[in-house]
Amino acid sequence: MLRHLIKYNFKTYIGNRLNLFWNFLFPFAYMIIFFMALFSLSDGSSGLDTIRLAVVPVHENESAESKTEALKSFFEFDGHEGIWDGEALEHPAGTEKTLLLYTESNETESLKWLENETIDAMILVDDEISFKVKPGSSLTPTVLHEILASFERVNKTQTSITSGYQEGRFTPPSASDTEQLEANRFIGIDKSNRRTAIYSQFIYFFAALAYITYFPLNTGVEVIESIEPAQSDQALRKYVGPVSKTKHFFGALIPRWVAHLLLIVLLFAFTQLLNIDYGTDYPRIILLLFFGTSSAIFTGTALGALLPGKQGPKVALSISIPLLFALASGMMASPLHSLIMEKIPWLHNWNPLGMISNGLYALYSGGNLERYYQQLFGLGIFNLVCFALTMLGVRRSRYESI
Amino acid sequence: MKERIIDVEVIDLVKRYKELVAVDHLSLSIEQGEIFGLLGPNGSGKTTLINCMLALLSYDQGEVKIFAKPMTPKSYDVKQQIGLVPQEISVYEELTVYDNIDYFCGLYVEDKEERRQRVEEVIDFVQLDSFRKFHPRKLSGGLKRRLNLACGIAHRPRLIFLDEPTVAVDPQSRNRILEGIKYLRDQGSTIVYTTHYMEEVEYLCDRLAILDHGKILVSGTNEEIISMSSISESIEIVVYDLPESIIDELRNNPSVDSLTYQSGTLSMAMKQGDSNLLSVLHLLTEEGLEPVSVSGKNPTLNDVFLEITGKELRDNA
C-alpha cells in the first residue's frame, strides 16, 4: 500500500507545474541571480565596476598616517594602488581588472578629481572614516560602506590585540603553538582556487545556500494538505477509505522528502559549477544540507498540522518564515546577523537557516568540526520537535469545519 | 418474505457547532439495496449528517452503525466497503483519468491485476475510454463528473454516498450518471443520494427523507410522501370572461385550497377529494362558459417540499 501511495504522490508532486517552478526551478534561478549580483559569470574577476578612490588623511599626524597605511594595506586584498596615465587613474598592470584602484592625495585635489569625475569616491581618514562619492553613483556607496565597515572591524580588533600585548594582558604564543596554528589555518580549504571575495560576501553566500535549503517549507504544508480532510477535497475522499492517516502521511512525505534531498544535492552541485566556494568537505556539507532541507519540510508539516483551515495563511507563512530566518542570518544585510546574535539570542540559536549558514561557515573557516556538529545537533533537535508537533496534529481525530 | 437488512442506521444523532444545532436528534435507517434520497435546503444538515455517518466528523450524541457495526474513524473493515462521490470534483489534476481511478481504487484493492480489471470496468461503465490518457483539466464538466463518479465506485463498494453528483452536468452526462446509479443499485449496492433536482429523486430514489434545521421532516417512498400533502391536484383552465360571481363561488368551494385568475387562466390547487376537475367543469358549463383548454396535474415532491418547509428547494439550495 505504501508503495502505491508513494508512487502516486510522487506523480502528483512532480506533475504540478507550480511545484516544478517554485520548488525545482526557482532555487536554481535564485542562485544564478544571487551569483550574478555579486560576481561575474564570464571571467575570474569581480563583476563590479572598478571603483577609483582617493585616500585623504585629514590630519598630518602619526595616527592618521598609520591608519591610512592600514587602509591601503586592506585595499590590497581586492585592489591596487593606481598610477596616473595623463588624467586617468589606471591599473599598474594595464588591462587587469580590480575592484579598487586607489591613490593617496590631499582633500583639495581629491575634491577637484571628484568634480571632474576622474575618481568615483574620496575616503577621508580621521578618527572615524567617511567618504564622498561622485553624484549618480548607485552601487559605489554600498560597496564602500561594506568594505570600510569590514576595515573598521579588522582595525579595531588589531588595535585591541596590539594594546593587549603592549599592556601585558596578552602573551605571544610559543613557537610550537604558532607552528600548530599555521598548520591548522587552512585545513579543508583549497587556497589555490579561492574566488570569493574576503569581504562580507561570504556570509551572503552561506545564507543564500541556507535559504534555498530551507526553501521548501510549502512542501511540508502540502503534505498535510494532501491528507487532512478539512484541508482538501481529495483528502476527504481518501479519508473515507480504509487506509490510516499515518500511512497516508508517510506516503505523501517520503516522495517529497526524497525529491528535495536529491534537489539540494543538485543545487549544491550547481553552486560548484558556478564556482562558488563552500570548501571541499563535501560529505559534511551534503549532510548539513540534508538536515536543513528536512527542517524546512518538517516546519511545513508542523504548520500544516497545527494550523486549521485552508491554505492561504499557511502559504503566506511558508514564504515569510524562510525570509525572516534568512534576514536574521544575514542574507539581506550582514550586520543583522551580529545584531540578532546580540539582541535576540534565542532566534539566533534556533534559527534553522542560521544553523545551516553557521554550519557551512564552520566547515569553510578551517574545519571547526565542534561548531559544525553543534549546528547539526541543533538542526536534529529542531527536526524532532517539528516532527513531534506534526504527529500531534495529524493524529487528531476531530475534523470540524469540513 | 424477504428479510430487511439495514446497511445504515443513525440513532438519535446530535451534532452541535457551538450554539448551532446542525443535526438535531436525528434517526434514520437505510436498507440494503435501496437508493435513499436526502433532500433539504442549504444549512439543513445534509452534509453534516453524511460527514457524521462517514466518521469524518465527531458528534455530540447518538450512534452511527454501518453494516451493523459502529462507524468510527478506524473502522477500516467497514470503510473498505464504502464509496464516496463528493459534490466537489475531488480528483488530481496532475494525474490522467486512468491514474486517478487507479489511485483511488488502489486504496481499497491492493492486488494489481484485480485492480486493473476494476479500473477497466469502471472506465467502460462511465464511458471514458477515449479519455483515459487525458488530464482532468482537459475534460468538460460532464466528463469530470463521470471521472469523479468512477473514482468513488471503481472498488465496487457495497454502500455508496453520492453528494449531488449531477450538479452542472449536461443532459447527456446526467442521463448516463442516473442510469449508472440505477445499475449500481441493481447490482446490489446501497446508495445514499443527495440532490437538489426533484425529478432525479422522483426518478431514482426508492425512499427519501426531507431535512430542515437538522431534523427529518418527513420520510418514506415518493408515493407516501406525496400522499401526505393536503393538495390532491393542480388544475389549470383557460376560460375567458369569467364572471366575478363564478370566481367567488369556486373560491368558496370546500375542495379548493387556493385560486388565481389571470389573463384568462384559472389556476386552482385542490384539496384531497374525488372528481375535482369534473365538478369545476360542470359549474362552468352550467353558466354557459366554454373552456379553451383544461389541464390537471398531480402534486409533485416539489409541491410537498414547498408545503412542508415553506421554501422552494432549488432556489434555496
Side-chain angles (χ1 to χ4, degrees), chain A residues 45-63:
Chain A
S45 61
S46 162
L48 297 168
D49 288 338
T50 300
I51 300 170
R52 288 172 169 75
L53 295 170
V55 179
V56 180
V58 176
H59 301 291
E60 288 183 4
N61 56 39
E62 198 181 332
S63 159

Side-chain angles (χ1 to χ4, degrees), chain B residues 245-272:
Chain B
S245 59
I246 300 290
I247 294 172
D248 286 341
E249 195 173 334
L250 285 169
R251 196 168 274 142
N252 293 329
N253 188 321
S255 62
V256 174
D257 187 68
S258 62
L259 177 151
T260 58
Y261 180 65
Q262 273 182 339
S263 310
T265 303
L266 179 68
S267 302
M268 289 178 291
M270 310 303 289
K271 290 178 185 168
Q272 296 285 3

Side-chain angles (χ1 to χ4, degrees), chain B residues 15-38:
Chain B
K15 172 67 190 172
R16 292 190 186 91
Y17 291 107
K18 295 181 181 169
E19 300 302 309
L20 177 78
V21 184
V23 180
D24 190 2
H25 296 279
L26 187 146
S27 297
L28 63 85
S29 59
I30 299 169
E31 289 176 27
Q32 188 180 68
E34 72 174 346
I35 301 178
F36 188 89
L38 273 176

Side-chain angles (χ1 to χ4, degrees), chain B residues 172-232:
Chain B
Q172 190 191 14
S173 285
R174 174 180 294 178
N175 287 341
R176 287 215 173 111
I177 290 171
L178 296 184
E179 287 307 317
I181 292 166
K182 274 198 164 182
Y183 176 79
L184 290 170
R185 188 266 315 272
D186 295 342
Q187 295 295 304
S189 294
T190 306
I191 290 157
V192 182
Y193 190 86
T194 70
T195 181
H196 292 135
Y197 298 112
M198 284 293 179
E199 60 274 20
E200 286 185 3
V201 175
E202 286 175 331
Y203 175 72
L204 273 182
C205 296
D206 301 307
R207 287 196 310 134
L208 63 123
I210 295 178
L211 263 74
D212 204 10
H213 303 296
K215 289 181 178 173
I216 291 181
L217 302 179
V218 287
S219 70
T221 61
N222 285 344
E223 294 74 23
E224 284 168 352
I225 289 179
I226 288 168
S227 70
M228 290 174 197
S229 170
S230 60
I231 300 163
S232 68

Side-chain angles (χ1 to χ4, degrees), chain B residues 96-114:
Chain B
T96 62
V97 164
Y98 185 94
D99 281 350
N100 262 298
I101 302 170
D102 187 54
Y103 171 66
F104 285 108
C105 185
L107 302 180
Y108 302 82
V109 183
E110 290 210 48
D111 183 81
K112 269 188 180 176
E113 185 49 34
E114 189 184 347

Side-chain angles (χ1 to χ4, degrees), chain A residues 1 4-5 8 11-12 15-17 233-234 236-244 248 398-400 402, chain B residues 15 17 56-58 73 76 79-80 84 88 90-92 94 99 102-104 106-108 110 148 152:
Chain A
M1 176 56 68
H4 177 79
L5 297 177
Y8 278 110
K11 272 191 171 183
T12 53
N16 185 312
R17 288 176 189 175
D233 298 322
Q234 291 91 342
L236 187 132
R237 170 172 241 161
K238 280 192 250 181
Y239 195 66
V240 175
V243 180
S244 72
H248 274 304
R398 294 172 70 85
Y399 302 103
E400 303 301 337
I402 287 179
Chain B
K15 172 67 190 172
Y17 291 107
L56 291 167
L57 274 179
S58 59
Y76 299 128
K79 285 181 166 187
Q80 177 72 37
L84 170 69
E88 302 299 328
S90 311
V91 297
Y92 288 102
E94 301 83 12
D99 281 350
D102 187 54
Y103 171 66
F104 285 108
L107 302 180
Y108 302 82
E110 290 210 48
N148 200 36

Side-chain angles (χ1 to χ4, degrees), chain A residues 290-351:
Chain A
F290 278 0
F291 270 62
T293 281
S294 304
S295 68
I297 290 174
F298 290 132
T299 309
T301 56
L303 267 180
L306 296 177
L307 297 181
K310 298 280 180 189
Q311 292 306 297
K314 280 178 262 189
V315 169
L317 278 175
S318 60
I319 293 167
S320 55
I321 288 174
L323 281 174
L324 175 77
F325 284 152
L327 186 75
S329 67
M331 187 178 79
M332 292 122 186
S334 60
L336 264 178
H337 184 240
S338 317
L339 194 69
I340 298 281
M341 201 189 309
E342 191 184 337
K343 303 282 182 194
I344 323 173
W346 64 265
L347 178 59
H348 172 74
N349 293 335
W350 289 104
N351 173 359

